[in-house]
Amino acid sequence: MTIGADPGEVARVKTALAEFADAHAVPAGIRRSMSVVLDELLNNTISYGFAGREGGEMTIAVELRTDRLSVTLTDDGAPFNPLDVAAPDTALSVEERQVGGLGIHLARRLMDEVSYQRRAGRNVVVLAKLLAGGRTAADAEDGP
């Protein structure tokens, strides 16, 4: 699925992810975690990666394997490696914290794997959430 720089399109991505998760019986906890992280990263890309320019393009590819749900986000925004961002100090009060960085913090905390590459002028972020026992709920219903 490909979307532009309109924040309203993030909801369309989340709906598509929910439909995919329903169709493939992805466990509720995994779909919630992936949805939260997608919301954060897509909105961050629209707000910061496409700032100061007209438009932008993001591609979202979802893959379900026996052991994981993976989502690859590719955008043509400004080069940005989210893994270079220091973790926020969550021990500080809200008033003492710097603005920003919580979306990336959530991605690190909620995903089992997060990777970044800059390829052909695009940011490529791969998110993965491991499935318990390497199986979806539908696999479990089919037996051992």
Side-chain angles (χ1 to χ4, degrees), residues 53-109:
R53 62 181 260 194
E54 287 288 323
E57 180 180 283
M58 286 185 281
T59 301
I60 302 95
V62 179
E63 181 181 17
L64 182 62
R65 297 184 186 167
T66 57
D67 68 333
R68 70 189 57 219
L69 174 66
S70 296
V71 175
T72 302
L73 307 173
T74 305
D75 71 74
D76 65 351
F80 178 70
N81 181 351
L83 302 177
D84 285 345
V85 176
D89 185 350
T90 56
L92 295 174
S93 69
V94 171
E95 294 80 20
E96 296 173 309
R97 290 187 203 165
Q98 291 185 334
V99 175
L102 288 177
I104 296 164
H105 176 68
L106 281 173
R108 288 181 175 138
R109 299 283 298 191

Side-chain angles (χ1 to χ4, degrees), residues 42-60:
L42 293 175
N43 279 303
N44 282 347
T45 300
I46 291 169
S47 296
Y48 305 109
F50 298 153
R53 62 181 260 194
E54 287 288 323
E57 180 180 283
M58 286 185 281
T59 301
I60 302 95

Side-chain angles (χ1 to χ4, degrees), residues 103-124:
I104 296 164
H105 176 68
L106 281 173
R108 288 181 175 138
R109 299 283 298 191
L110 294 175
M111 295 293 106
D112 293 306
E113 296 173 9
V114 180
S115 66
Y116 170 85
Q117 290 184 323
R118 182 81 180 166
R119 279 189 247 152
R122 294 180 172 261
N123 298 301
V124 180

